[in-house]
Amino acid sequence: MTSPRPPSGRQRPLRYYSDSERIEGGSGSWDTLEWNKLDSQQTASGSSSTSFANLSCLLESERVIVEGYGVVLINTDEAGTLLVTNFRILFLSEGTRKVIPLGTIPLATIEKFNKMVLKVQSNNRQSDKNPPRRLLQVTGKDMRIIVYGFRPKTKQRRSVFDALLRCTKPERVWDLYTFACGLSKFGNANPKERLLNEYFRLLGRSSIRASMDMIEDGSFTLENELWRISDLNSNYNLCQTYPFAFMVPKSISDEELLQACSFRAKCRLPVITWCQPGSGAVIARSSQPLVGLMMNMRSNYDEKLVAAFCTQLGANKGERRKLYIADARPRKNALANGAMGGGSESSSNYFQSPIVFFGIDNIHAMRESYSRLRDYLDMHGATSSDGRSSFLRHTGWTWGGGNLSSMSASVSLLGDSGWLIHIQNVLAGAAWIAARVAVESASVLVHCSDGWDRTTQLVSLACLMLDPYYRTFAGFQALVEKDWLAFGHPFSDRVGMPNISGSGNFDLPRQSSSAGSYPSSPVRQSTQSAASQSASSSHAQNNYSPIFTQWVDSVSQLMRMYPCAFEFSPTFLVDFMDCLLSCRFGNFLCNSEKERQQCGIAEACGCIWAYLTDLRSVAATSHVHCNPFYDPLKYDGPLLPPAASLAPTLWPQFHLRWACPEEAKAADIEVQCRAMRVKYSEMQKDKEATERRVDEISFAMESLSAELLRERRMSWSARESAKRATKEYRALTRAVQSLGCKINFTTSDIEDDPLENNNNNNNNNTPRRRDRQGNNSDVSVSISVMSEENRAENQVGRVCEALCPLRTREGVCRWPEAGCAHLGSQFVGLKTNFDAFDRLSIQESYFKSE
């Protein structure tokens, strides 16, 4: 089979060059561009550009800062234009200006970037004429590594690099794009109202809706039989990282809460995050207790607060509810924290409550694991940051029974990343908590060190398993806003954005390296222990960690196990994560509710929830964010996955979309189901339209049937009238004959001629009529006196004359106007015209004897 010939012309795509040509030099991709024209074009500069100001792909308030022409996207061998805006890096294809998704990344999504120099290796003697190639590697927080190639001597890479230095690490939170964009059409309602509404739902007071007046006057402190809402932290004086309101046991006073908070790290005292309706079981959260190295420090107020979670069981009023204390850390880490004043509870001080350690590692282990997973995908994916496929990189890898050592190495490397193990630990811990609450009706207190990373992962995932409401769009928003935003997960530190103090804790690595050959992906050095230690030390002061990404990944694992239990789809989670990492909206800025209030985030920035809701409003349930398999009736209770099912896999829609795009799409079977659902919806609409047409036709047929019935009745009436007329005609004929006369009817058809019409109008003796077919015809009636012979033969006339009392002997009628010849008598066929009798002046002489 011959390989396809490259298209004719001066330029040819990079895919027609061999791997050695692309990487080692020669007439590679760099020569496909007309570099001599770059000098005449507008090169990248620090000033704002006007040539791309009217691009349709630019968002509201997005402006171009730097332009780079003739840039090559090494990952896919595409040449185009690179634009740095105040929101993202835009990569447009050459000529068409179509946005290339892989090369387009928001600035806030960039984890690190560095310059690299590729020295071209060539066997010919003119290798000195091939200058080193300038590369820019951008590593994203969304599992992609992008490499841009710049032509030497254009100074474009320097301009782009300097622009990234200024824009990816703003000095203040107000310098982010979301503040420049403003609210737009995605206004952010007061998040405090939404938090109170969720509290009201948990207390069984859903009929009450929160308002700003309620927050200002403090009337939101509702309660039920067991729990109450406290406003002790309304000014954030009790705990700066807790929300302005939280739920506590009803039996604990505010004074006791003030005393108890000092025994917990960061004053994050135990509070209720979810309560089971009816049973009284709760999930509580806090930070570690300050027991000290010897674990001999105690607090009576803290112990009383924790004991209040052990309410009495409903069935056995004398028996107290069981309480579990879940420590998310490994046991050794908890003991190590004791040296710094922290530690874990002693079971003997808390009603012999069992203490369980989940063994989940800290943020630094998660960050390194995530980095190794990203490098693994970049190295073994269908496309890589060096532009080569994994099939070409491993020359000994043959699918036909050859050496599979490379495959084994890749699988081992995936396991070495540890990411799936961390996901499994989080899932197992959350499932354990959910089982204790659902099966035993027990209460569980969860904490780690500070109570805002691993604690938040566990309690929010357990709530998702227990409460079907949190598996809907509205419930998922309420869950994230309650457990992640309100209870102070430090998003600015973990995502790597500046906080309210003016400088971010996220130290963006910027390196400049040079090598004798193409620089390999970081994964190719991460397997070496020395490189791993170096990487760990570089993040010693780095608080960036994909904690929230790990939790969303865990949610996707639950969706894989229970595909019909969630209203939203995995695509919704991907778009949600993209919006969060891009910092396009203000919901996840800053480290706490207090900081967001000080920055005025709700009044100045758009809302991610309003944006996602607006996307779904276009297509309703057929939108890609909606799960076509959702069955709320079947999954209206808790999800309790067994331990054997907690075997996570890579999240294809998120992990594989850049390295293995086709495989990521193939794994999304809901796309086909959604297409079938859309087709079914269209067919349903066609069916309804057809039914309406059938109804219209049926109505028309009924109308025609009724009209036909009326016509039949009229026809029958006409026939009856004709029969009567025939009888009268015959009787009239006999009557006239009885008078000795003869009647003749003659009909003649005539045409509608104007002259004849005028003549006929003057002739009143001949009546005119129009027959049923609409033709004009003349009907002439002639009455003639019968001859004496015919009259003598008329027996009816003789009988009539003999019997008539008004005839004289001379044969003259005494009553000539009586019209006695009208037939109708049952005896002789005569009918008397009684109207004529009434008009007569009857004289007595008529009745005198002759």
Side-chain angles (χ1 to χ4, degrees):
M1 181 177 179
T2 60
S3 59
R5 298 182 59 187
S8 60
R10 298 185 59 183
Q11 299 184 5
R12 50 181 180 151
L14 300 180
R15 62 177 178 271
Y16 291 107
Y17 293 100
S18 64
D19 187 67
S20 61
E21 285 180 323
R22 279 187 289 165
I23 301 301
E24 296 180 0
S27 57
S29 61
W30 307 93
D31 296 329
T32 64
L33 301 172
E34 299 183 25
W35 296 101
N36 56 348
K37 293 184 178 181
L38 289 178
D39 295 336
S40 60
Q41 296 177 349
Q42 179 184 357
T43 59
S45 61
S47 61
S48 178
S49 174
T50 59
S51 60
F52 293 93
N54 297 324
L55 277 176
S56 59
C57 60
L58 292 180
L59 302 176
E60 182 180 0
S61 302
E62 185 179 10
R63 53 185 177 82
V64 178
I65 300 176
V66 171
E67 302 174 8
Y69 296 96
V71 181
V72 176
L73 181 61
I74 302 298
N75 304 63
T76 57
D77 295 337
E78 294 181 81
T81 302
L82 186 146
L83 304 178
V84 178
T85 71
N86 59 335
F87 173 62
R88 54 183 167 170
I89 295 178
L90 268 174
F91 190 80
L92 309 178
S93 62
E94 193 75 20
T96 62
R97 286 192 175 184
K98 181 181 179 181
V99 177
I100 305 301
L102 176 59
T104 300
I105 181 172
L107 301 179
T109 310
I110 298 175
E111 179 181 337
K112 58 184 177 181
F113 58 93
N114 55 282
K115 296 186 290 185
M116 298 182 296
V117 178
L118 173 62
K119 294 183 179 180
V120 180
Q121 296 179 352
S122 178
N123 295 328
N124 55 31
R125 298 181 179 180
Q126 298 180 352
S127 59
D128 295 338
K129 295 183 179 180
N130 296 324
R133 294 168 182 170
R134 269 62 178 174
L135 304 177
L136 178 63
Q137 185 185 63
V138 175
T139 303
K141 305 169 188 174
D142 56 353
M143 304 302 295
R144 58 175 155 174
I145 301 176
I146 313 170
V147 177
Y148 304 100
F150 297 85
R151 184 68 174 179
K153 300 180 181 181
T154 59
K155 296 183 180 180
Q156 294 188 106
R157 188 181 67 162
R158 169 59 66 86
S159 300
V160 172
F161 186 82
D162 293 342
L164 293 179
L165 285 178
R166 298 191 306 269
C167 299
T168 56
K169 189 183 178 183
E171 295 182 358
R172 305 176 305 167
V173 67
W174 296 279
D175 296 331
L176 293 172
Y177 164 77
T178 181
F179 286 93
C181 181
L183 289 176
S184 185
K185 64 177 181 178
F186 308 115
N188 188 6
N190 196 323
K192 291 185 177 181
E193 296 180 10
R194 298 196 294 266
L195 178 63
L196 288 179
N197 289 330
E198 178 59 16
Y199 286 162
F200 296 162
R201 187 189 73 88
L202 293 175
L203 293 177
R205 310 290 294 274
S206 300
S207 59
I208 303 177
R209 306 301 296 176
S211 63
M212 284 303 301
D213 295 336
M214 183 182 295
I215 296 174
E216 292 175 357
D217 58 24
S219 59
F220 58 84
T221 56
L222 305 182
E223 61 184 29
N224 61 11
E225 296 80 5
L226 299 174
W227 325 113
R228 68 181 179 92
I229 302 175
S230 174
D231 61 348
L232 191 60
N233 199 41
S234 59
N235 295 324
Y236 306 103
N237 294 327
L238 177 71
C239 179
Q240 296 187 3
T241 57
Y242 262 16
F244 77 103
F246 45 75
M247 292 194 302
V248 294
K250 184 179 179 180
S251 59
I252 304 299
S253 64
D254 287 345
E255 291 75 11
E256 292 172 325
L257 293 177
L258 286 171
Q259 296 295 331
C261 71
S262 60
F263 187 68
R264 295 282 171 168
K266 304 291 193 301
C267 294
R268 296 174 66 90
L269 74 165
V271 295
I272 299 170
T273 186
W274 184 82
C275 54
Q276 189 176 37
S279 71
V282 300
I283 297 178
R285 61 180 299 168
S286 69
S287 61
Q288 63 180 342
L290 303 179
V291 297
L293 179 62
M294 304 303 297
M295 299 183 62
N296 56 357
M297 302 297 293
R298 297 182 58 178
S299 171
N300 293 332
Y301 296 101
D302 183 80
E303 293 173 8
K304 181 180 180 180
L305 175 59
V306 174
F309 299 140
C310 304
T311 57
Q312 294 180 350
L313 292 172
N316 302 321
K317 295 185 178 180
E319 182 182 356
R320 295 184 64 85
R321 188 182 309 276
K322 192 172 184 178
L323 173 69
Y324 291 93
I325 299 178
D327 195 327
R329 303 166 292 179
R331 183 187 296 269
K332 61 179 182 180
N333 291 17
L335 296 176
N337 279 320
M340 296 180 290
S344 187
E345 294 87 351
S346 175
S347 178
S348 59
N349 298 334
Y350 293 88
F351 296 96
Q352 301 300 322
S353 299
I355 312 295
V356 182
F357 294 91
F358 289 155
I360 302 176
D361 289 326
N362 57 23
I363 61 172
H364 308 292
M366 300 304 174
R367 179 178 61 246
E368 297 302 328
S369 175
Y370 190 74
S371 178
R372 288 193 296 267
L373 175 64
R374 179 176 54 213
D375 294 338
Y376 162 79
L377 295 175
D378 180 66
M379 181 178 182
H380 296 281
T383 59
S384 179
S385 59
D386 61 2
R388 293 191 297 174
S389 171
S390 60
F391 299 99
L392 299 177
R393 183 179 297 109
H394 306 293
T395 56
W397 186 349
T398 57
W399 294 102
N403 183 13
L404 296 180
S405 59
S406 297
M407 179 187 295
S408 301
S410 65
V411 175
S412 176
L413 188 60
L414 175 61
D416 291 341
S417 69
W419 181 257
L420 297 182
I421 299 299
H422 296 317
I423 294 292
Q424 187 178 28
N425 290 339
V426 174
L427 284 172
W432 185 91
I433 296 172
R436 300 288 77 75
V437 175
V439 178
E440 301 181 19
S441 294
S443 295
V444 182
L445 171 62
V446 186
H447 69 77
C448 53
S449 296
D450 295 324
W452 53 42
D453 290 315
R454 288 165 286 190
T455 300
T456 305
Q457 287 180 327
L458 291 171
V459 298
S460 57
L461 199 59
C463 291
L464 194 71
M465 295 179 182
L466 289 170
D467 198 336
Y469 172 70
Y470 292 137
R471 300 194 286 270
T472 64
F473 284 110
F476 185 80
Q477 174 183 348
L479 178 66
V480 172
E481 290 191 318
K482 173 175 65 73
D483 283 323
W484 289 90
L485 292 172
F487 279 96
H489 176 70
F491 277 100
S492 287
D493 294 342
R494 300 297 181 259
V495 176
M497 282 291 105
N499 54 33
I500 193 172
S501 61
S503 61
N505 293 328
F506 180 57
D507 187 12
L508 210 64
R510 296 178 295 275
Q511 303 171 1
S512 178
S513 62
S514 60
S517 60
Y518 190 89
S520 60
S521 177
V523 73
R524 292 150 213 173
Q525 292 86 19
S526 63
T527 56
Q528 302 177 4
S529 59
S532 178
Q533 295 174 0
S534 175
S536 299
S537 61
S538 64
H539 291 294
Q541 303 298 327
N542 190 358
N543 288 324
Y544 162 74
S545 187
I547 299 299
F548 189 76
T549 303
Q550 188 179 53
W551 178 78
V552 177
D553 194 343
S554 301
V555 175
S556 73
Q557 304 296 333
L558 282 179
M559 297 177 67
R560 177 182 56 84
M561 290 185 278
Y562 303 97
C564 302
F566 294 82
E567 184 182 12
F568 45 85
S569 65
T571 305
F572 166 78
L573 295 181
V574 174
D575 293 344
F576 172 65
M577 282 302 305
D578 287 343
C579 292
L580 186 149
L581 295 175
S582 69
C583 294
R584 179 181 174 184
F585 305 97
N587 302 73
F588 296 90
L589 297 180
C590 303
N591 288 328
S592 64
E593 180 182 279
K594 176 185 178 182
E595 292 184 3
R596 282 185 289 273
Q597 178 175 309
Q598 291 176 346
C599 292
I601 298 296
E603 295 79 14
C605 303
C607 179
I608 185 175
W609 309 111
Y611 170 73
L612 296 174
T613 302
D614 183 72
L615 291 181
R616 295 193 303 272
S617 64
V618 178
T621 57
S622 61
H623 195 268
V624 294
H625 289 176
C626 300
N627 181 12
F629 307 109
Y630 179 51
D631 189 356
L633 299 179
K634 182 179 179 181
Y635 294 93
D636 59 348
L639 303 178
L640 302 177
S645 64
L646 300 177
T649 61
L650 289 177
W651 179 12
Q653 291 87 352
F654 186 78
H655 292 148
L656 302 180
R657 57 174 171 164
W658 306 118
C660 308
E662 295 300 324
E663 286 72 13
K665 295 178 182 178
D668 194 4
I669 192 174
E670 68 182 34
V671 174
Q672 301 178 7
C673 180
R674 187 174 292 106
M676 295 176 61
R677 189 171 182 176
V678 172
K679 187 175 182 180
Y680 172 79
S681 178
E682 295 175 353
M683 294 176 63
Q684 193 73 14
K685 293 180 181 179
D686 294 341
K687 177 186 175 183
E688 294 175 356
T690 304
E691 290 177 348
R692 288 193 298 268
R693 180 60 178 167
V694 169
D695 293 341
E696 293 175 358
I697 295 176
S698 300
F699 178 77
M701 292 181 64
E702 291 177 358
S703 300
L704 292 176
S705 299
E707 186 68 22
L708 179 60
L709 182 60
R710 287 194 297 269
E711 290 291 338
R712 289 178 178 177
R713 290 177 179 175
M714 293 176 63
S715 177
W716 178 82
S717 178
R719 287 196 299 268
E720 294 296 323
S721 299
K723 291 179 181 180
R724 290 194 300 269
T726 301
K727 291 180 181 179
E728 293 178 359
Y729 166 73
R730 291 174 181 175
L732 181 61
T733 300
R734 287 195 297 268
V736 172
Q737 289 178 357
S738 67
L739 297 176
C741 300
K742 183 178 180 180
I743 184 170
N744 293 320
F745 291 91
T746 60
T747 304
S748 60
D749 296 335
I750 62 174
E751 297 180 356
D752 291 336
D753 188 20
L755 296 178
E756 294 182 359
N757 291 336
N758 295 332
N759 295 330
N760 292 333
N761 291 333
N762 297 328
N763 186 2
N764 297 326
N765 297 326
T766 305
R768 299 285 303 277
R769 72 180 179 89
R770 183 178 296 270
D771 59 8
R772 296 185 63 180
Q773 286 75 19
N775 300 324
N776 293 330
S777 61
D778 283 345
V779 179
S780 60
V781 183
S782 61
I783 301 176
S784 59
V785 180
M786 298 176 63
S787 61
E788 293 296 334
E789 295 78 6
N790 295 334
R791 188 181 304 176
E793 297 176 357
N794 189 356
Q795 301 297 328
V796 176
R798 291 199 299 270
V799 173
C800 180
E801 292 176 359
L803 296 179
C804 182
L806 300 179
R807 289 184 65 83
T808 64
R809 293 178 178 179
E810 290 81 10
V812 180
C813 183
R814 296 179 180 178
W815 209 347
E817 297 181 2
C820 60
H822 290 282
L823 193 65
S825 174
Q826 60 178 344
F827 301 104
V828 295
L830 297 177
K831 180 180 179 181
T832 304
N833 190 344
F834 292 100
D835 293 335
F837 280 106
D838 294 337
R839 290 194 301 268
L840 287 177
S841 298
I842 302 177
Q843 301 177 5
E844 296 179 357
S845 60
Y846 287 154
F847 302 98
K848 294 180 179 180
S849 60
E850 293 294 335

